Amino acid sequence: MLPRVALLWCLMSVFVLPGTAAAYVDRGTDPDDRAPVRFDPDIRATVRRVEPGEQRRKLAVVVRAYEDFGFLWQIDVRLDARGGPAADTRMRLWNADTGGMGCEVWKRGHRGQAVEGAFALSADRARCSVPIGLIEPSKRIRWRLISEGYDEESETDRAPDVGWYG
């Protein structure tokens, strides 16, 4: 009986536990520190989630704003998946009015090789999801967001204001 239990435990640790351990969620918040000017979002909260997928794991970044997202905005997400001093991967979420909306991800220095992600947008929430293989993490992923204004009246919102989430 004991050998069967030991075998079952070994099989579970090989096939079940790594998938569970590989999925994680971290959350961050940011104060209401940007005057509402036009459509530029003031970041309220963000979630970075590594989730299991049917074929492969995915990285999802969710951004919530204090106001509803408008028709003309962009949020840059800096991702550090290797524990270095700077971001090694970038993600961009945007709505360009009649120019379309979406999200994409690319390795630092390879902007021309951006890969489109799965994008979802509701009133005050935007989400981008990409296969985690595009990020190639060797450490738990840290992230930070930058929402730049489109004109000189707007100020840049950084979340967190200093440092990284995660």
Side-chain angles (χ1 to χ4, degrees), residues 20-143:
T20 305
Y24 57 89
V25 176
D26 284 315
R27 301 172 194 286
T29 59
D30 193 60
D32 187 358
D33 56 358
R34 183 186 213 175
V37 177
R38 300 189 172 238
F39 305 116
D40 303 322
D42 183 0
I43 298 165
R44 176 184 202 140
T46 179
V47 174
R48 189 260 307 110
R49 177 185 326 260
V50 173
E51 49 196 33
E54 288 184 28
Q55 301 287 327
R56 53 190 165 177
R57 292 186 316 150
K58 295 182 180 188
L59 168 74
V61 174
V62 179
V63 181
R64 292 194 75 112
Y66 282 97
E67 311 81 24
D68 286 351
F69 281 97
F71 300 108
L72 189 62
W73 57 269
Q74 174 177 310
I75 296 175
D76 288 317
V77 181
R78 312 283 166 89
L79 301 164
D80 171 34
R82 301 207 173 141
D88 45 60
T89 305
R90 305 269 303 264
M91 178 184 281
R92 182 174 73 109
L93 296 86
W94 78 91
N95 185 353
D97 195 14
T98 58
M101 64 178 75
C103 68
E104 61 188 0
V105 66
W106 67 93
K107 300 298 270 178
R108 188 170 83 189
H110 294 86
R111 177 69 174 92
Q113 299 171 8
V115 175
E116 186 176 342
F119 179 72
L121 177 67
S122 60
D124 67 342
R125 182 179 173 270
R127 181 181 196 270
C128 183
S129 178
V130 297
I132 200 161
L134 297 172
I135 312 299
E136 300 175 355
S138 61
K139 303 276 186 196
R140 193 172 179 106
I141 300 169
R142 301 183 309 163
W143 79 111

